[in-house]
Amino acid sequence: MSDSKLKKVNEKIAEGVTSGYKKIEDGVVGGYKKIEGGVVGAYKKVEDGFVDKFLTHEGESVEDAKKRLAEKH
């Protein structure tokens, strides 16, 4: 094989490897974002439930209680 053919083959291999890494990266990042969204969503549900049960005053919404508490700190 000549140098130019070797160079072309090496470039095709490099493109394939780069493409493979990109697919893996996209899969990992996508999986992380799904997990992060689930964890954050679950935390917010627990937080809202806690605020509703223990920190709201009579007739006050959860959002109003959060605003009131944020102003104090």
Side-chain angles (χ1 to χ4, degrees), residues 3 6 10 15-16 18 20 27 32 36-38 40-41 43 45 63-65 69-71:
D3 286 342
L6 285 175
N10 279 339
E15 287 175 13
T18 303
Y32 172 82
E36 180 184 36
V40 170
Y43 173 82
K45 285 182 181 179
E63 293 302 317
D64 291 338
L69 294 167
E71 290 174 357

Side-chain angles (χ1 to χ4, degrees), residues 47 51 55 60 62-73:
E47 178 186 34
V51 170
L55 301 176
E60 185 178 41
V62 172
E63 293 302 317
D64 291 338
K66 284 182 177 182
K67 288 178 187 176
R68 178 178 46 81
L69 294 167
E71 290 174 357
K72 288 185 178 181
H73 290 70

Side-chain angles (χ1 to χ4, degrees), residues 19-53:
S19 171
Y21 287 147
K22 183 66 178 159
K23 288 179 184 177
I24 292 170
E25 178 185 2
D26 290 346
V28 170
V29 171
Y32 172 82
K33 287 185 178 186
K34 285 182 182 179
I35 291 170
E36 180 184 36
V39 169
V40 170
Y43 173 82
K44 287 185 178 189
K45 285 182 181 179
V46 170
E47 178 186 34
D48 288 348
F50 179 83
V51 170
D52 186 38
K53 179 112 178 150

